[in-house]
Amino acid sequence: EGQLVESGGGLVQPGGSLRLSCAASGFTFSNFWMHWVRQAPGKGLVWLSRVKGDGSDTSYADSVKGRFTISRDNAKNTVYLQMNSLRAEDTALYYCARDGDYGGYSRFDPWGQGTLVTVSS
Amino acid sequence: DIQMTQSPSSLSASVGDRVTVTCRASQSIRNHLNWYQQKPGKAPMILIVAASSLQGGVPSRFSGSGSGTDFTLSISSLQPEDSATYYCQQSYRTPYTFGQGTKLEIK
């Protein structure tokens, strides 16, 4: 079925950097696109980025383009989100999710439990 | 970017009621529309894919419909455990935008 576990969150000053990790288990990791989604406290879900199974294709939301970089290491079954030039508005719970292709349709399942990033001085 | 607009933003209903949440896309997304349920302190969970395909383990009281720009999520007989926030998401084109969410409270 699959399990995802995020790590790497924490408190960082504005302008700082952080790298999030998402460790996958229970499925053939390299077969799946992976996504990052965030949720600011008390707010809704915001899609951030995705990476193809072999790492050859990536996409980003405009709000993070040029600041965040998604990557993966299929040997370690891990997807990463490198976050640079962090701003207060990046404070959120960050989720990774597998894109479990459903007959050609994208669906996010499963999700990790999230890792909290707080940007504050 | 494709904008997703949900309504209402919140609703309150009683056990046994039928409730409907609507989601409108700013342009046609064919049927590339997913619904998720999120309970407090938990990650979202997939309910419905491709506008109307109920995912495994999801109770049959949940259903989805629509295509193009207008979609609905219905719960036929509300149960206490359905108290949650519901999100639509378009998966037609990146960025895969979500609606703002509908918070469902059980009276």
Side-chain angles (χ1 to χ4, degrees):
Chain A
E1 184 62 30
Q3 184 178 7
L4 302 171
V5 178
E6 300 95 336
S7 61
L11 175 64
V12 60
Q13 292 187 337
S17 298
L18 213 53
R19 189 178 82 156
L20 306 183
S21 301
C22 169
S25 61
F27 63 95
T28 305
F29 182 67
S30 59
N31 286 354
F32 295 89
W33 288 80
M34 295 295 295
H35 300 260
W36 285 97
V37 176
R38 71 184 179 189
Q39 186 169 36
K43 303 296 185 182
L45 302 169
V46 177
W47 178 86
L48 298 177
S49 183
R50 71 170 184 174
V51 59
K52 195 176 179 180
D54 62 3
S56 63
D57 190 6
T58 59
S59 302
Y60 297 92
D62 285 346
S63 59
V64 302
K65 198 175 295 182
R67 299 189 301 125
F68 289 11
T69 302
I70 192 170
S71 63
R72 63 193 297 158
D73 184 338
N74 286 344
K76 295 182 178 180
N77 287 350
T78 301
V79 61
Y80 303 99
L81 188 67
Q82 176 67 44
M83 304 186 297
N84 299 329
S85 303
L86 284 162
R87 308 165 180 165
E89 54 265 34
D90 294 319
T91 293
L93 187 63
Y94 285 71
Y95 293 103
C96 65
R98 182 185 70 180
D99 192 329
D101 178 72
Y102 182 78
Y105 292 88
S106 171
R107 64 174 179 176
F108 291 9
D109 177 58
W111 297 60
Q113 84 289 350
T115 187
L116 182 63
V117 172
T118 303
V119 184
S120 176
S121 54
Chain B
D1 297 359
I2 299 173
Q3 308 304 316
M4 305 300 293
T5 304
Q6 281 180 242
S7 62
S9 57
S10 65
L11 75 155
S12 181
S14 300
V15 171
D17 283 353
R18 178 182 180 87
V19 300
T20 298
V21 179
T22 65
C23 179
R24 175 164 289 176
S26 59
Q27 65 186 80
S28 176
I29 57 171
R30 291 161 49 186
N31 66 334
H32 291 258
L33 190 283
N34 300 330
W35 289 99
Y36 298 87
Q37 177 193 66
Q38 187 180 35
K39 296 185 177 181
K42 299 294 186 181
M45 183 185 79
I46 186 74
L47 294 177
I48 289 170
V49 177
S52 60
S53 294
L54 200 66
Q55 295 299 279
V58 177
S60 59
R61 63 180 178 273
F62 289 89
S63 64
S65 65
S67 67
T69 60
D70 293 313
F71 302 86
T72 61
L73 170 70
S74 296
I75 309 174
S76 61
S77 179
L78 204 59
Q79 298 301 304
E81 61 266 30
D82 299 334
S83 177
T85 301
Y86 294 85
Y87 293 93
C88 63
Q89 179 211 24
Q90 65 84 14
S91 59
Y92 183 68
R93 179 180 298 145
T94 58
Y96 286 164
T97 38
F98 291 87
Q100 78 278 16
T102 296
K103 188 173 184 178
L104 173 58
E105 174 196 84
I106 311 300
K107 289 179 185 175

